[in-house]
Amino acid sequence: MAYVKVAVFLRTNKFNEKTISSIDCLSGSQFFDFFVLANETAGELHFPGVKKISHTVETVCNEIEYVNNEEEMILYSDALFKFIKNRLPDYDYYIMVEDDVHFVSKSSLLIDKIVIYLSDNNCKVDLFASWYRDINSTKEYARWSDNCFKTFNLCVAIFFPLVGLSSRAIDQLDKNRELENANPDRERHLVFCELSVPTALRVAGEFVIKDINEMIPNAYSHDTFKFGLPELLDSQKLTRTGVEMLHPVYDIKGGIAKHYHHAEHTGEIEAFLKFLAEIGKPLSDPVIADFALRALIAIAVRSKKNSSAIAS
């Protein structure tokens, strides 16, 4: 079988234990070429032995005319596919993987399977991602689904942690974004990438869209591949899933910080302390000790405020 030519790029703005884990998983496959798409807006990142494509907010805004600032670079992440294709024009498919995706096999096995699927002579796929579905109400995604209905009279969604696009689909999406950008009523018609990408291709009528689970059964589960608080990289939960990828998964320090900030915002500090205890690391661990102290201080401050309120 002749395999389609695929570029896989890991999108990240950091170098930590989780990034290293993702690089180890995706490097060295015989089925695709691997690159790190490094956001170096905050400073240069070094990934020894790995091909790196650098970008900053400034370089993307200068090159992609419909991206004007950092917020738009995030909201319209499909622009990064065009940025990549400008540098690597000769691939059939481009797959973007966020750095908080975890591959259960700790290898490139899932992406290898996807490449083999795409290489089947009878297979014509232009977009594949998770959570592919129709949106029937503007309540989901709020402003963005409203914009999507106004722009396309239709709204289709995907989830963006792992997305694959054919070369021709990238060209179509770029044309669509240019039309959106030229609209005098631009703010009412620009659409978040998780809606714009599948909807624009569906409306165009000649592009094939598939959910990854349709291509590779049990690639992911809605219960463990979603938006929410992260699992930790060394958690035993990561090996008992029955699926091939999970999201979100953070390194220990980043994951605990995310849980702490959530607890701080919701006031669920006691639940955070329970979470710390369940990690199974000793209190002497510097990261555990730091966040445990922060949590105890937060509880003390809250208790003092409550006491003052009662006294007054």
Side-chain angles (χ1 to χ4, degrees):
M1 177 189 295
Y3 296 111
V4 292
K5 192 174 181 182
V6 178
V8 175
F9 48 102
L10 178 72
R11 181 183 181 185
T12 190
N13 61 356
K14 61 184 74 73
F15 182 77
N16 60 22
E17 185 182 4
K18 177 62 180 71
T19 313
I20 294 169
S21 172
S22 296
I23 290 172
D24 288 345
C25 286
L26 297 172
S27 297
S29 173
Q30 64 176 318
F31 293 99
F32 58 83
D33 294 332
F34 174 64
F35 306 84
V36 172
L37 178 63
N39 183 344
E40 299 184 310
T41 302
E44 187 175 3
L45 298 168
H46 298 279
F47 304 96
V50 181
K51 296 176 184 176
K52 178 180 75 173
I53 297 177
S54 173
H55 71 291
T56 65
V57 172
E58 183 179 9
T59 57
V60 173
C61 290
N62 287 342
E63 183 171 323
I64 309 296
E65 65 178 26
Y66 45 84
V67 177
N68 299 301
N69 51 54
E70 184 173 13
E71 181 186 17
E72 289 188 0
M73 191 175 81
I74 295 169
L75 292 173
Y76 316 134
S77 291
D78 46 298
L80 293 175
F81 281 93
K82 180 62 175 176
F83 187 85
I84 287 284
K85 189 180 174 185
N86 286 348
R87 286 148 184 78
L88 304 169
D90 298 326
Y91 287 87
D92 300 307
Y93 287 93
Y94 300 79
I95 301 175
M96 183 166 72
V97 182
E98 299 283 358
D99 59 9
D100 54 358
V101 171
H102 176 75
F103 296 99
V104 176
S105 70
K106 297 183 178 179
S107 73
S108 64
L109 180 62
L110 175 60
I111 309 295
D112 293 344
K113 289 179 180 179
I114 290 173
V115 175
I116 292 169
Y117 181 97
L118 295 171
S119 300
D120 187 298
N121 289 331
N122 296 319
C123 175
K124 301 294 181 184
V125 180
D126 293 290
L127 164 64
F128 51 92
S130 59
W131 286 79
Y132 175 46
R133 66 208 187 278
D134 287 2
I135 301 295
N136 298 313
S137 168
T138 56
K139 292 181 180 179
E140 189 171 358
Y141 283 95
R143 167 195 168 192
W144 297 113
S145 55
D146 187 45
N147 278 11
C148 194
F149 279 112
K150 288 173 182 174
T151 303
F152 298 105
N153 296 316
L154 181 70
C155 189
V156 186
I158 58 172
F159 193 31
F160 234 72
L162 190 153
V163 178
L165 286 167
S166 68
S167 178
R168 75 185 195 118
I170 293 171
D171 292 341
Q172 176 66 33
L173 292 169
D174 185 56
K175 291 176 184 176
N176 183 74
R177 285 296 193 194
E178 289 177 350
L179 290 172
E180 285 182 1
N181 191 51
N183 192 311
D185 199 9
R186 180 179 186 270
E187 291 304 314
R188 292 180 66 250
H189 288 271
L190 282 175
V191 185
F192 179 38
C193 59
E194 294 193 349
L195 306 181
S196 177
V197 168
T199 308
L201 294 180
R202 170 87 72 82
V203 169
E206 57 187 72
F207 296 90
V208 178
I209 307 171
K210 288 186 179 291
D211 190 283
I212 293 174
N213 275 345
E214 185 181 350
M215 299 163 61
I216 311 296
N218 300 315
Y220 75 95
S221 164
H222 290 150
D223 293 331
T224 55
F225 200 85
K226 59 185 180 180
F227 179 81
L229 289 173
E231 295 290 347
L232 304 184
L233 185 59
D234 65 350
S235 170
Q236 292 300 311
K237 296 178 183 179
L238 304 187
T239 62
R240 306 178 193 147
T241 63
V243 294
E244 301 209 37
M245 62 178 180
L246 309 171
H247 176 277
V249 176
Y250 284 24
D251 70 316
I252 296 293
K253 185 175 182 179
I256 291 175
K258 188 78 171 179
H259 278 263
Y260 175 75
H261 293 312
H262 172 77
E264 194 175 37
H265 177 71
T266 60
E268 298 171 349
I269 301 296
E270 289 82 3
F272 172 74
L273 286 170
K274 182 180 178 183
F275 163 76
L276 278 186
E278 292 174 347
I279 292 175
K281 289 184 176 292
L283 188 59
S284 59
D285 180 282
V287 175
I288 302 294
D290 177 37
F291 282 98
L293 180 59
R294 293 193 205 186
L296 291 171
I297 291 172
I299 289 173
V301 169
R302 183 181 64 191
S303 178
K304 185 176 181 179
K305 286 181 178 178
N306 290 342
S307 297
S308 298
I310 292 171
S312 61

